[in-house]
Amino acid sequence: TKYVDGMVHGKPISECEMLTISDKYNEAIMLGIRTSKGVAVSEISKKYGEEFVQHLLHQLVTLDSDLYKLSDGILTVTEKGFPVIDHITEILFISED
């Protein structure tokens, strides 16, 4: 309702979300792991820092190794992993709680 009222009166409402570095990392994981290109560990290191890489690698070992593939520094999900991709991404996320 506020949005429509704003448009009618020439004062559109907009919002801006400020993402934390953890939010940005989580989005990179969520989006990258769903593609055939996967997630480049070197890009995680470059964009977010080594602590994020360590988190990623530590969390990977908690998963069944047949759900993902880490080859030449690229993380991808296997055919067996795709049905549980939401679970995989949840495990790899960083929570700020």
Side-chain angles (χ1 to χ4, degrees):
T1 303
K2 288 181 183 181
Y3 176 79
V4 172
D5 287 344
M7 292 301 291
V8 167
H9 296 95
K11 297 178 182 177
I13 296 173
S14 65
E15 294 180 8
C16 180
E17 180 181 11
M18 300 301 290
L19 299 177
T20 66
I21 192 166
S22 295
D23 292 336
K24 292 175 185 179
Y25 161 85
N26 289 344
E27 283 196 6
I29 295 296
M30 178 180 62
L31 297 173
I33 207 162
R34 286 172 163 73
T35 68
S36 60
K37 290 171 61 175
V39 175
V41 175
S42 63
E43 285 298 307
I44 297 297
S45 178
K46 184 168 74 173
K47 290 181 179 180
Y48 309 107
E50 193 59 30
E51 68 185 75
F52 287 85
V53 172
Q54 292 307 313
H55 169 81
L56 175 65
L57 298 176
H58 177 74
Q59 294 305 106
L60 279 177
V61 299
T62 68
L63 294 169
D64 290 337
S65 61
D66 58 350
L67 298 178
Y68 68 91
K69 181 179 175 184
L70 184 59
S71 178
D72 296 327
I74 306 293
L75 172 64
T76 55
V77 174
T78 64
E79 194 172 312
K80 186 175 179 182
F82 268 104
V84 292
I85 200 162
D86 288 340
H87 171 72
I88 293 170
T89 55
E90 182 181 347
I91 295 297
L92 300 179
F93 277 180
I94 289 181
S95 175
E96 293 183 343
D97 292 342

Short mmCIF file of all heavy atoms in Angstrom, two decimals, residues 38-85:
data_model
loop_
_atom_site.label_atom_id
_atom_site.label_comp_id
_atom_site.label_asym_id
_atom_site.label_seq_id
_atom_site.Cartn_x
_atom_site.Cartn_y
_atom_site.Cartn_z
N GLY A 38 30.47 -23.62 -10.40
CA GLY A 38 30.78 -23.85 -9.00
C GLY A 38 31.32 -22.62 -8.30
O GLY A 38 31.14 -21.49 -8.75
N VAL A 39 32.01 -22.85 -7.21
CA VAL A 39 32.58 -21.80 -6.37
C VAL A 39 34.10 -21.95 -6.38
O VAL A 39 34.62 -23.00 -6.02
CB VAL A 39 32.06 -21.91 -4.91
CG1 VAL A 39 32.75 -20.89 -4.02
CG2 VAL A 39 30.55 -21.77 -4.86
N ALA A 40 34.77 -20.90 -6.81
CA ALA A 40 36.24 -20.90 -6.82
C ALA A 40 36.74 -20.51 -5.44
O ALA A 40 36.44 -19.41 -4.96
CB ALA A 40 36.77 -19.95 -7.88
N VAL A 41 37.48 -21.39 -4.81
CA VAL A 41 38.01 -21.12 -3.48
C VAL A 41 38.91 -19.89 -3.51
O VAL A 41 38.91 -19.08 -2.57
CB VAL A 41 38.75 -22.36 -2.92
CG1 VAL A 41 39.40 -22.06 -1.59
CG2 VAL A 41 37.77 -23.54 -2.79
N SER A 42 39.65 -19.70 -4.59
CA SER A 42 40.53 -18.53 -4.69
C SER A 42 39.72 -17.23 -4.69
O SER A 42 40.17 -16.22 -4.13
CB SER A 42 41.39 -18.61 -5.95
OG SER A 42 40.58 -18.60 -7.12
N GLU A 43 38.54 -17.25 -5.27
CA GLU A 43 37.68 -16.06 -5.28
C GLU A 43 37.13 -15.78 -3.88
O GLU A 43 37.01 -14.62 -3.48
CB GLU A 43 36.54 -16.21 -6.27
CG GLU A 43 36.95 -16.04 -7.71
CD GLU A 43 37.50 -14.66 -8.01
OE1 GLU A 43 36.82 -13.66 -7.70
OE2 GLU A 43 38.62 -14.58 -8.54
N ILE A 44 36.81 -16.84 -3.16
CA ILE A 44 36.35 -16.67 -1.77
C ILE A 44 37.47 -16.03 -0.95
O ILE A 44 37.25 -15.08 -0.21
CB ILE A 44 35.92 -18.01 -1.15
CG1 ILE A 44 34.72 -18.60 -1.90
CG2 ILE A 44 35.62 -17.87 0.34
CD1 ILE A 44 33.46 -17.78 -1.85
N SER A 45 38.68 -16.50 -1.13
CA SER A 45 39.82 -15.95 -0.41
C SER A 45 40.05 -14.48 -0.77
O SER A 45 40.23 -13.64 0.10
CB SER A 45 41.08 -16.76 -0.73
OG SER A 45 42.19 -16.22 -0.07
N LYS A 46 40.01 -14.19 -2.06
CA LYS A 46 40.28 -12.84 -2.53
C LYS A 46 39.20 -11.84 -2.07
O LYS A 46 39.51 -10.75 -1.62
CB LYS A 46 40.38 -12.83 -4.06
CG LYS A 46 40.76 -11.49 -4.64
CD LYS A 46 41.11 -11.60 -6.11
CE LYS A 46 39.88 -11.79 -6.94
NZ LYS A 46 40.13 -11.73 -8.39
N LYS A 47 37.94 -12.24 -2.16
CA LYS A 47 36.84 -11.33 -1.85
C LYS A 47 36.50 -11.24 -0.37
O LYS A 47 36.07 -10.20 0.11
CB LYS A 47 35.59 -11.74 -2.61
CG LYS A 47 35.68 -11.51 -4.10
CD LYS A 47 34.40 -11.92 -4.78
CE LYS A 47 34.48 -11.65 -6.27
NZ LYS A 47 33.25 -12.04 -6.96
N TYR A 48 36.67 -12.37 0.36
CA TYR A 48 36.16 -12.41 1.74
C TYR A 48 37.23 -12.71 2.78
O TYR A 48 37.00 -12.51 3.96
CB TYR A 48 35.01 -13.43 1.83
CG TYR A 48 33.98 -13.19 0.76
CD1 TYR A 48 33.86 -14.04 -0.32
CD2 TYR A 48 33.16 -12.06 0.80
CE1 TYR A 48 32.94 -13.80 -1.32
CE2 TYR A 48 32.24 -11.81 -0.20
CZ TYR A 48 32.14 -12.69 -1.26
OH TYR A 48 31.23 -12.44 -2.25
N GLY A 49 38.36 -13.23 2.37
CA GLY A 49 39.45 -13.49 3.30
C GLY A 49 39.62 -14.96 3.62
O GLY A 49 38.75 -15.79 3.39
N GLU A 50 40.78 -15.25 4.18
CA GLU A 50 41.16 -16.64 4.47
C GLU A 50 40.27 -17.28 5.52
O GLU A 50 40.05 -18.49 5.49
CB GLU A 50 42.63 -16.68 4.89
CG GLU A 50 43.21 -18.07 4.92
CD GLU A 50 43.17 -18.79 3.57
OE1 GLU A 50 43.22 -18.14 2.51
OE2 GLU A 50 43.07 -20.03 3.60
N GLU A 51 39.74 -16.52 6.47
CA GLU A 51 38.88 -17.12 7.50
C GLU A 51 37.62 -17.71 6.87
O GLU A 51 37.11 -18.73 7.35
CB GLU A 51 38.52 -16.11 8.59
CG GLU A 51 37.60 -14.99 8.13
CD GLU A 51 37.35 -13.96 9.19
OE1 GLU A 51 38.27 -13.15 9.44
OE2 GLU A 51 36.26 -13.96 9.77
N PHE A 52 37.15 -17.12 5.78
CA PHE A 52 35.98 -17.66 5.09
C PHE A 52 36.33 -18.95 4.36
O PHE A 52 35.53 -19.88 4.32
CB PHE A 52 35.38 -16.62 4.14
CG PHE A 52 34.68 -15.51 4.86
CD1 PHE A 52 35.38 -14.42 5.34
CD2 PHE A 52 33.31 -15.56 5.08
CE1 PHE A 52 34.74 -13.40 6.02
CE2 PHE A 52 32.66 -14.54 5.75
CZ PHE A 52 33.37 -13.46 6.23
N VAL A 53 37.52 -19.00 3.80
CA VAL A 53 37.99 -20.24 3.15
C VAL A 53 38.11 -21.34 4.19
O VAL A 53 37.66 -22.48 3.96
CB VAL A 53 39.34 -20.02 2.43
CG1 VAL A 53 39.92 -21.34 1.94
CG2 VAL A 53 39.19 -19.02 1.29
N GLN A 54 38.70 -21.03 5.33
CA GLN A 54 38.84 -22.04 6.39
C GLN A 54 37.48 -22.54 6.87
O GLN A 54 37.30 -23.73 7.11
CB GLN A 54 39.66 -21.48 7.55
CG GLN A 54 41.11 -21.22 7.20
CD GLN A 54 41.79 -22.45 6.62
OE1 GLN A 54 41.68 -23.55 7.14
NE2 GLN A 54 42.47 -22.26 5.50
N HIS A 55 36.52 -21.63 6.99
CA HIS A 55 35.17 -22.03 7.37
C HIS A 55 34.59 -22.99 6.31
O HIS A 55 34.05 -24.05 6.65
CB HIS A 55 34.25 -20.81 7.51
CG HIS A 55 32.81 -21.17 7.64
ND1 HIS A 55 32.25 -21.57 8.84
CD2 HIS A 55 31.81 -21.22 6.73
CE1 HIS A 55 30.98 -21.85 8.65
NE2 HIS A 55 30.69 -21.65 7.38
N LEU A 56 34.72 -22.61 5.05
CA LEU A 56 34.20 -23.42 3.96
C LEU A 56 34.80 -24.82 3.98
O LEU A 56 34.08 -25.83 3.94
CB LEU A 56 34.51 -22.74 2.62
CG LEU A 56 34.16 -23.49 1.35
CD1 LEU A 56 32.66 -23.68 1.23
CD2 LEU A 56 34.71 -22.77 0.14
N LEU A 57 36.11 -24.91 4.08
CA LEU A 57 36.79 -26.21 4.07
C LEU A 57 36.44 -27.03 5.31
O LEU A 57 36.25 -28.26 5.22
CB LEU A 57 38.31 -26.02 3.96
CG LEU A 57 38.78 -25.34 2.67
CD1 LEU A 57 40.29 -25.11 2.72
CD2 LEU A 57 38.37 -26.12 1.44
N HIS A 58 36.33 -26.38 6.45
CA HIS A 58 35.96 -27.07 7.69
C HIS A 58 34.54 -27.64 7.57
O HIS A 58 34.29 -28.78 8.01
CB HIS A 58 36.05 -26.12 8.88
CG HIS A 58 35.63 -26.72 10.17
ND1 HIS A 58 36.41 -27.63 10.85
CD2 HIS A 58 34.49 -26.58 10.89
CE1 HIS A 58 35.76 -28.02 11.95
NE2 HIS A 58 34.61 -27.39 11.99
N GLN A 59 33.63 -26.88 7.01
CA GLN A 59 32.25 -27.34 6.88
C GLN A 59 32.13 -28.45 5.84
O GLN A 59 31.30 -29.35 5.99
CB GLN A 59 31.32 -26.17 6.53
CG GLN A 59 31.20 -25.13 7.62
CD GLN A 59 30.77 -25.73 8.95
OE1 GLN A 59 31.57 -25.87 9.86
NE2 GLN A 59 29.52 -26.13 9.05
N LEU A 60 32.94 -28.40 4.79
CA LEU A 60 32.87 -29.44 3.77
C LEU A 60 33.14 -30.82 4.34
O LEU A 60 32.49 -31.79 3.95
CB LEU A 60 33.87 -29.16 2.64
CG LEU A 60 33.46 -28.16 1.59
CD1 LEU A 60 34.59 -27.95 0.59
CD2 LEU A 60 32.18 -28.58 0.89
N VAL A 61 34.08 -30.92 5.28
CA VAL A 61 34.41 -32.24 5.82
C VAL A 61 33.28 -32.82 6.66
O VAL A 61 33.31 -34.01 6.96
CB VAL A 61 35.73 -32.24 6.62
CG1 VAL A 61 36.89 -31.84 5.72
CG2 VAL A 61 35.66 -31.38 7.84
N THR A 62 32.28 -32.01 7.01
CA THR A 62 31.13 -32.53 7.75
C THR A 62 30.09 -33.15 6.82
O THR A 62 29.17 -33.80 7.28
CB THR A 62 30.45 -31.43 8.60
OG1 THR A 62 29.83 -30.48 7.74
CG2 THR A 62 31.45 -30.75 9.52
N LEU A 63 30.26 -32.94 5.52
CA LEU A 63 29.33 -33.48 4.53
C LEU A 63 29.84 -34.81 3.97
O LEU A 63 31.05 -35.04 3.94
CB LEU A 63 29.17 -32.50 3.37
CG LEU A 63 28.52 -31.16 3.67
CD1 LEU A 63 28.70 -30.21 2.49
CD2 LEU A 63 27.04 -31.36 3.99
N ASP A 64 28.93 -35.64 3.49
CA ASP A 64 29.33 -36.85 2.79
C ASP A 64 30.11 -36.44 1.54
O ASP A 64 29.66 -35.58 0.78
CB ASP A 64 28.12 -37.69 2.37
CG ASP A 64 27.41 -38.33 3.56
OD1 ASP A 64 28.06 -38.51 4.61
OD2 ASP A 64 26.22 -38.65 3.43
N SER A 65 31.25 -37.06 1.33
CA SER A 65 32.13 -36.65 0.23
C SER A 65 31.54 -36.93 -1.15
O SER A 65 32.01 -36.37 -2.14
CB SER A 65 33.49 -37.33 0.36
OG SER A 65 33.34 -38.73 0.29
N ASP A 66 30.49 -37.74 -1.23
CA ASP A 66 29.88 -37.98 -2.53
C ASP A 66 28.82 -36.94 -2.90
O ASP A 66 28.21 -37.02 -3.96
CB ASP A 66 29.30 -39.39 -2.62
CG ASP A 66 28.28 -39.70 -1.54
OD1 ASP A 66 28.12 -38.89 -0.60
OD2 ASP A 66 27.63 -40.75 -1.64
N LEU A 67 28.64 -35.93 -2.05
CA LEU A 67 27.68 -34.86 -2.33
C LEU A 67 28.32 -33.68 -3.06
O LEU A 67 27.63 -32.86 -3.66
CB LEU A 67 27.04 -34.35 -1.04
CG LEU A 67 26.23 -35.36 -0.24
CD1 LEU A 67 25.71 -34.71 1.04
CD2 LEU A 67 25.09 -35.91 -1.08
N TYR A 68 29.64 -33.60 -3.01
CA TYR A 68 30.34 -32.47 -3.62
C TYR A 68 31.66 -32.93 -4.22
O TYR A 68 32.14 -34.02 -3.94
CB TYR A 68 30.60 -31.37 -2.59
CG TYR A 68 31.59 -31.77 -1.52
CD1 TYR A 68 32.94 -31.51 -1.68
CD2 TYR A 68 31.19 -32.42 -0.37
CE1 TYR A 68 33.87 -31.89 -0.72
CE2 TYR A 68 32.09 -32.80 0.60
CZ TYR A 68 33.43 -32.54 0.42
OH TYR A 68 34.34 -32.92 1.38
N LYS A 69 32.22 -32.06 -5.03
CA LYS A 69 33.53 -32.31 -5.62
C LYS A 69 34.35 -31.04 -5.46
O LYS A 69 33.88 -29.94 -5.76
CB LYS A 69 33.38 -32.66 -7.10
CG LYS A 69 34.67 -32.95 -7.80
CD LYS A 69 34.41 -33.31 -9.26
CE LYS A 69 35.71 -33.50 -9.99
NZ LYS A 69 35.48 -33.75 -11.42
N LEU A 70 35.54 -31.17 -4.95
CA LEU A 70 36.49 -30.06 -4.84
C LEU A 70 37.69 -30.44 -5.68
O LEU A 70 38.50 -31.28 -5.29
CB LEU A 70 36.87 -29.81 -3.39
CG LEU A 70 37.77 -28.61 -3.12
CD1 LEU A 70 37.12 -27.32 -3.61
CD2 LEU A 70 38.09 -28.50 -1.64
N SER A 71 37.77 -29.85 -6.86
CA SER A 71 38.82 -30.20 -7.80
C SER A 71 39.43 -28.93 -8.37
O SER A 71 38.71 -28.04 -8.84
CB SER A 71 38.23 -31.05 -8.93
OG SER A 71 39.20 -31.37 -9.88
N ASP A 72 40.76 -28.84 -8.33
CA ASP A 72 41.49 -27.67 -8.83
C ASP A 72 40.97 -26.38 -8.21
O ASP A 72 40.89 -25.34 -8.88
CB ASP A 72 41.41 -27.59 -10.36
CG ASP A 72 42.10 -28.77 -11.04
OD1 ASP A 72 43.11 -29.26 -10.48
OD2 ASP A 72 41.63 -29.21 -12.10
N GLY A 73 40.58 -26.45 -6.94
CA GLY A 73 40.13 -25.26 -6.23
C GLY A 73 38.72 -24.80 -6.56
O GLY A 73 38.32 -23.71 -6.19
N ILE A 74 37.95 -25.66 -7.24
CA ILE A 74 36.58 -25.34 -7.60
C ILE A 74 35.64 -26.31 -6.90
O ILE A 74 35.78 -27.53 -7.03
CB ILE A 74 36.34 -25.43 -9.13
CG1 ILE A 74 37.33 -24.57 -9.90
CG2 ILE A 74 34.89 -25.08 -9.47
CD1 ILE A 74 37.18 -23.09 -9.69
N LEU A 75 34.69 -25.75 -6.15
CA LEU A 75 33.70 -26.56 -5.44
C LEU A 75 32.43 -26.65 -6.28
O LEU A 75 31.86 -25.63 -6.67
CB LEU A 75 33.37 -25.91 -4.09
CG LEU A 75 32.21 -26.53 -3.31
CD1 LEU A 75 32.52 -27.96 -2.90
CD2 LEU A 75 31.89 -25.66 -2.10
N THR A 76 32.02 -27.87 -6.57
CA THR A 76 30.76 -28.11 -7.27
C THR A 76 29.98 -29.18 -6.51
O THR A 76 30.54 -29.92 -5.69
CB THR A 76 30.99 -28.59 -8.72
OG1 THR A 76 31.83 -29.75 -8.71
CG2 THR A 76 31.61 -27.50 -9.57
N VAL A 77 28.71 -29.25 -6.81
CA VAL A 77 27.85 -30.26 -6.19
C VAL A 77 27.72 -31.41 -7.19
O VAL A 77 27.55 -31.19 -8.39
CB VAL A 77 26.47 -29.66 -5.85
CG1 VAL A 77 25.51 -30.72 -5.36
CG2 VAL A 77 26.61 -28.58 -4.81
N THR A 78 27.77 -32.62 -6.70
CA THR A 78 27.63 -33.79 -7.55
C THR A 78 26.15 -34.03 -7.87
O THR A 78 25.26 -33.40 -7.29
CB THR A 78 28.19 -35.05 -6.86
OG1 THR A 78 27.41 -35.31 -5.69
CG2 THR A 78 29.66 -34.89 -6.51
N GLU A 79 25.93 -34.96 -8.77
CA GLU A 79 24.56 -35.33 -9.11
C GLU A 79 23.80 -35.80 -7.88
O GLU A 79 22.62 -35.47 -7.69
CB GLU A 79 24.58 -36.43 -10.18
CG GLU A 79 23.26 -36.65 -10.86
CD GLU A 79 23.38 -37.60 -12.03
OE1 GLU A 79 24.29 -37.43 -12.87
OE2 GLU A 79 22.53 -38.52 -12.09
N LYS A 80 24.48 -36.54 -7.02
CA LYS A 80 23.85 -37.00 -5.78
C LYS A 80 23.58 -35.83 -4.82
O LYS A 80 22.65 -35.87 -4.02
CB LYS A 80 24.74 -38.03 -5.10
CG LYS A 80 24.11 -38.66 -3.89
CD LYS A 80 24.95 -39.77 -3.30
CE LYS A 80 24.25 -40.34 -2.08
NZ LYS A 80 25.02 -41.38 -1.43
N GLY A 81 24.37 -34.76 -4.91
CA GLY A 81 24.21 -33.62 -4.02
C GLY A 81 23.09 -32.67 -4.41
O GLY A 81 22.56 -31.95 -3.56
N PHE A 82 22.71 -32.65 -5.69
CA PHE A 82 21.71 -31.68 -6.13
C PHE A 82 20.37 -31.79 -5.39
O PHE A 82 19.79 -30.75 -5.05
CB PHE A 82 21.51 -31.73 -7.64
CG PHE A 82 22.39 -30.76 -8.35
CD1 PHE A 82 23.52 -31.19 -9.02
CD2 PHE A 82 22.12 -29.40 -8.33
CE1 PHE A 82 24.35 -30.30 -9.66
CE2 PHE A 82 22.95 -28.49 -8.96
CZ PHE A 82 24.07 -28.94 -9.64
N PRO A 83 19.88 -32.99 -5.12
CA PRO A 83 18.59 -33.04 -4.39
C PRO A 83 18.66 -32.45 -2.98
O PRO A 83 17.63 -32.08 -2.42
CB PRO A 83 18.27 -34.54 -4.34
CG PRO A 83 19.02 -35.13 -5.49
CD PRO A 83 20.27 -34.31 -5.59
N VAL A 84 19.84 -32.35 -2.42
CA VAL A 84 19.99 -31.81 -1.06
C VAL A 84 20.81 -30.52 -1.06
O VAL A 84 21.45 -30.17 -0.07
CB VAL A 84 20.60 -32.86 -0.10
CG1 VAL A 84 19.64 -34.01 0.13
CG2 VAL A 84 21.95 -33.36 -0.60
N ILE A 85 20.77 -29.79 -2.17
CA ILE A 85 21.61 -28.60 -2.32
C ILE A 85 21.28 -27.53 -1.28
O ILE A 85 22.17 -26.83 -0.81
CB ILE A 85 21.55 -28.05 -3.75
CG1 ILE A 85 22.76 -27.16 -4.00
CG2 ILE A 85 20.23 -27.34 -4.03
CD1 ILE A 85 23.05 -26.91 -5.46
#
